[in-house]
Amino acid sequence: MSIHPATCDPAVLELYLEGQLSDAEQARLEAHVATCANCCTKLSNSAADDSWWQDASRFLPTDDWDGPPSRQYLDTVAPDANLDTTTDRRSLLKRLSPWLDPTDDPHMLGRFGGYEIAGVIGEGGMGIVLKGHEPALNRYVAIKLLAPHLASNGAARQRFSREAQAAAAVLHENVIAIHRVDQSQGLPFLVMPYIGGVSLQKRLDEEGALAIPAILRIARQIAAGLTAAHAQGLVHRDVKPANILLERGVDRVTLTDFGLARTVDDATLTHSGVIAGTPQYMSPEQARGDAMDGRSDLFSLGSVMYAMCTGRAPFRAETPFGILRRITDDAPRPIREINPEIPGWLESIVFRLLAKSMGDRYQSAAAVAELLEQCLAHNQQPTRVPLPEIPPFPQPIRAAAPPRGRSLGTTDLRYRALWIALTIAVPLIAGIALYDQFWPRTPLPLNTQATAPTAPTGTLASESFAEPDAGSEDTSLWHDGVAGTLDDIQATLRQIDTDLDPELAQETQE
Amino acid sequence: MPELPDTRQTLLAKVGDSSNPEAWREFTAIYRPAVYRLARRRGLQDADADDLAQQVLLVISRKIADWRPTSPQGAFRRWLATIARHAIINALTRGHNVVAEGGSGVLQQLQNQPDRDTSLADIEEEFRRGVFRQAAESIRPEFQESTWNAFWLTAVEGLPIEEAADTLGKSTGTVYASRSRIMRRLKDKVQELEARQSEQ
């Protein structure tokens, strides 16, 4: 679905300079430039004319008149998101073991809350997700535990239970059910169905852009699920392809991790082995730490739809900092430029969802679900069902200046980026290896998102692992346990804000 | 009300507005090092130059309330330059006694070399440098270290492309491409800052 950069094409060079090429296109261009003196010159000239290059070499080097490094303003270390953490691979298991009761079943790790624990699905900022077997009903379930270090925090415990109960009250076919909210040995937990299938993230990774009917069907169901949740006053806050499960064979969507992410608001997570993901699907208001509502989820839905249309997230950059900056400031590359098969009306819908200002978006998930329903009907029977009226959404060419005084300040952004970088560790990757290594004879269905925050395709790659144990033939995937990703970041930032300006932070907190 | 043609929140309002620390931070990040450098160029030592930079910023923060957006574009920068110049000269004059004890005071230098006076052109240059550096600083975290280095080594430090490619273990194509991409972003950012700073 991607355009092939014709060699020496000025338009492609321009896209490259604007950071709008896909990884593959970018690699191709760089390979070409290495052998084409003409393109080298053209690139330099179109980037900026000579006077700019001269100014850069004149103004940027430090010289005798500069203050000591402590007072210089170019001493920022770029937060490189490729943090190589030497996470102790055994730590998760060790941390978990005190809460597991012994079991008689040699294939199981232990017992928790009456379930036989078959494995660890993932670990997120908020807790650990276990795969459990419920003997009485002979079914597999996913058990999400509040992380032990959070369980000692009263506010976090309350929030976890409250949110879990709120999420449990959302009964909708497109929202994951919650069987039980309880606690065992002082750890609050909730139990959900164990769903076989793949996440939308995995499907995008494997297939790239989806066909139009699939895009509409999936998006409509996400909107429907959001409608049900918003009706209960619940904002998801972490709508992203990794949290959208697709059942095999059908485009049946289950939205996971509803509202639960907020639990981490109540705790400071700067110290813990938190996994955070990429902020690629965050809304601008969320990136800025402003108040959010259901329309923030709609922005994220827009990003997800963009990814389904093009095979890639709309806002990409080399670092989380860059992503946040683009979310708040930049217009994404037009969809039809990447995938000409997408009709203009669909692009308009996506761009309206991606409006920087909440007021410019569709105002409710219900409206979006309804609209997509009609579009789907039209798509299936173009001659009998007319396309609903979709006014074209003005396509910003490039970053309209961010709203004054609302944009992320450089300094704030830098702190954010730094902390996001710090929290984007890769314990999950370690986790995969860990469980493989530790129970080679009982391979665990460890499905998880490994973050690759700096990869510009930027992906949470969902891996699913074949499950060899009897009775479960599926390649199953459960959602991540990367719940709380966004709020980890927010919580961390809030802490930083507090450190920097206690009064201000106090005001902004409820 | 012809003298108040525009009610939108101006940079100055924001800078003077204590509830908008971000605007002030950006402002000082650009102008404080600029004033510091001007003072160093006039022969002040580090600590004195730093004091002076602080004083000038203080003066500006007080005077900023007096500025009336009436004039054409760029007027604010000129106004700022004038204030900075006066503040620098004042500070040097006030320092006369202390400096004179040292024998070769800055004021002496100033008097002996009238042609080395801090000119508005010098000030403009340092302001521009301030904007460039602030722009570079603010975009840097958007790029990976190696991409950034491809730009820095070649465009700023003047290393030949091949040498930089060797040092970084990258192809020359990647170095060419990376540095151009950053140059574009830098240019956009400088223009954005310039626009914001000349906003009245």
Side-chain angles (χ1 to χ4, degrees), chain A residues 14 60 157 285:
Chain A
E14 181 63 24
L60 293 180
R157 290 171 63 98
E285 56 273 16

Side-chain angles (χ1 to χ4, degrees), chain B residues 27-83:
Chain B
F27 188 83
T28 53
I30 293 172
Y31 294 108
R32 186 170 167 155
V35 176
Y36 172 90
R37 287 178 54 89
L38 288 164
R40 289 296 302 274
R41 283 169 66 169
R42 294 294 308 281
L44 262 66
Q45 296 303 304
D46 167 63
D48 297 329
D50 191 47
D51 277 354
L52 186 125
Q54 193 167 350
Q55 284 170 28
V56 170
L57 266 287
L58 211 62
V59 169
I60 291 174
S61 74
R62 275 200 301 265
K63 292 214 168 182
I64 219 156
D66 301 338
W67 167 257
R68 290 286 172 270
T70 53
S71 327
Q73 273 217 336
F76 175 62
R77 279 284 276 279
R78 275 198 298 282
W79 175 80
L80 209 58
T82 312
I83 291 192

Side-chain angles (χ1 to χ4, degrees), chain A residues 14 16-19 26 29-30 33-34 40-41 43-44 46-49 52-53 55-68 71-80 82 317-322 325 329 398 402 404-405 407-412 414 417 454-456, chain B residues 9 14 20 22 25-26 28-29 32-33 36-37 40-43 46-47 50 125-126 128-129 132-134 136-148 151-152 154-157 171-174 176-181 183-192 195-196 199:
Chain A
E14 181 63 24
Y16 174 80
L17 291 171
E18 291 291 326
Q26 185 168 326
L29 181 91
E30 289 177 359
V33 167
C40 289
T41 316
L43 255 187
S44 298
S46 12
D49 62 34
W52 285 93
W53 290 96
D55 280 356
S57 67
R58 178 162 148 238
F59 290 139
L60 293 180
T62 50
D63 63 23
D64 292 348
W65 308 123
D66 284 310
R71 220 176 289 132
Q72 275 176 24
Y73 292 82
L74 279 173
D75 58 354
T76 337
V77 176
D80 194 335
N82 267 335
E318 291 188 1
T319 63
F321 178 97
R325 206 272 304 166
D329 293 4
R398 182 169 161 72
R404 290 285 173 215
S407 73
L408 277 174
T410 300
T411 314
D412 287 351
R414 185 170 325 107
T454 55
Chain B
Q9 199 192 22
K14 280 184 279 174
N20 195 339
E22 189 54 40
R25 218 177 289 153
E26 183 175 292
T28 53
R32 186 170 167 155
Y36 172 90
R37 287 178 54 89
R40 289 296 302 274
R41 283 169 66 169
R42 294 294 308 281
D46 167 63
D50 191 47
E125 181 188 274
E126 289 302 343
R128 176 116 173 124
R129 187 191 308 270
F132 252 80
R133 291 184 169 191
Q134 173 63 17
E137 189 211 359
S138 75
I139 63 168
R140 179 171 174 167
E142 295 170 20
F143 299 93
Q144 284 179 28
E145 196 77 29
S146 59
T147 313
W148 183 260
F151 166 75
W152 195 266
T154 60
V156 180
E157 295 186 355
S171 73
T172 53
T174 304
Y176 261 117
S178 303
R179 73 180 204 140
S180 297
R181 195 149 49 93
M183 189 66 220
R184 166 62 67 85
R185 177 76 187 116
L186 179 68
K187 175 185 153 192
D188 287 350
K189 190 68 184 183
V190 166
Q191 288 174 334
E192 180 194 321
R196 207 177 302 155
E199 192 181 277

Side-chain angles (χ1 to χ4, degrees), chain A residues 208-327:
Chain A
L210 306 183
I212 293 165
I215 296 171
L216 293 173
R217 268 197 298 274
I218 293 171
R220 188 200 64 77
Q221 293 178 75
I222 300 170
L226 289 174
T227 304
H230 293 172
Q232 303 274 343
L234 209 60
V235 179
H236 190 297
R237 305 160 68 97
D238 196 11
V239 175
K240 61 184 177 187
N243 279 339
I244 294 160
L245 300 188
L246 307 175
E247 272 170 50
R248 256 167 313 146
V250 289
D251 289 327
R252 159 87 184 273
V253 168
T254 308
L255 206 43
T256 69
D257 270 355
F258 241 106
L260 297 171
R262 292 186 68 186
T263 301
V264 290
D265 281 2
D266 295 324
T268 322
L269 291 170
T270 52
H271 58 287
S272 60
V274 171
I275 321 164
T278 150
Q280 274 177 330
Y281 295 88
M282 235 185 216
S283 62
E285 56 273 16
Q286 198 172 9
R288 286 191 298 261
D290 287 350
M292 300 165 60
D293 63 24
R295 292 171 296 176
S296 310
D297 285 345
L298 293 184
F299 184 96
S300 301
L301 169 61
S303 290
V304 170
M305 287 178 72
Y306 185 102
M308 290 195 284
C309 290
T310 64
R312 44 178 258 201
F315 303 101
R316 302 162 341 127
E318 291 188 1
T319 63
F321 178 97
I323 293 171
L324 292 182
R325 206 272 304 166
R326 296 209 129 184
I327 289 173

Side-chain angles (χ1 to χ4, degrees), chain A residues 20-156:
Chain A
Q20 298 277 26
L21 289 184
S22 72
D23 295 345
E25 291 165 342
Q26 185 168 326
R28 208 152 35 210
L29 181 91
E30 289 177 359
H32 167 70
V33 167
T35 64
C36 178
N38 186 28
C39 273
C40 289
T41 316
K42 264 202 279 187
L43 255 187
S44 298
N45 292 341
S46 12
D49 62 34
D50 262 1
S51 69
W52 285 93
W53 290 96
Q54 283 162 16
D55 280 356
S57 67
R58 178 162 148 238
F59 290 139
L60 293 180
T62 50
D63 63 23
D64 292 348
W65 308 123
D66 284 310
S70 62
R71 220 176 289 132
Q72 275 176 24
Y73 292 82
L74 279 173
D75 58 354
T76 337
V77 176
D80 194 335
N82 267 335
L83 290 183
D84 185 22
T85 58
T86 48
T87 308
D88 183 357
R89 298 180 167 193
R90 301 163 199 226
S91 72
L92 178 58
L93 251 190
K94 272 192 185 153
R95 272 186 285 136
L96 206 54
S97 57
W99 282 274
L100 296 183
D101 298 324
T103 175
D104 300 331
D105 187 336
H107 294 296
M108 297 292 173
L109 301 176
R111 293 176 66 89
F112 180 86
Y115 304 90
E116 294 284 350
I117 302 305
V120 178
I121 294 168
E123 186 186 19
M126 189 188 60
I128 298 161
V129 186
L130 303 173
K131 183 184 181 184
H133 184 255
E134 191 171 6
L137 296 171
N138 191 26
R139 64 176 179 184
Y140 281 96
V141 292
I143 304 164
K144 182 169 263 179
L145 314 180
L146 185 63
H149 70 273
L150 293 179
S152 57
N153 177 322

Side-chain angles (χ1 to χ4, degrees), chain B residues 89-106:
Chain B
I89 292 171
N90 275 346
L92 294 176
T93 314
R94 271 203 311 279
H96 172 64
N97 289 338
V98 184
V99 177
E101 279 172 29
S104 62
V106 176

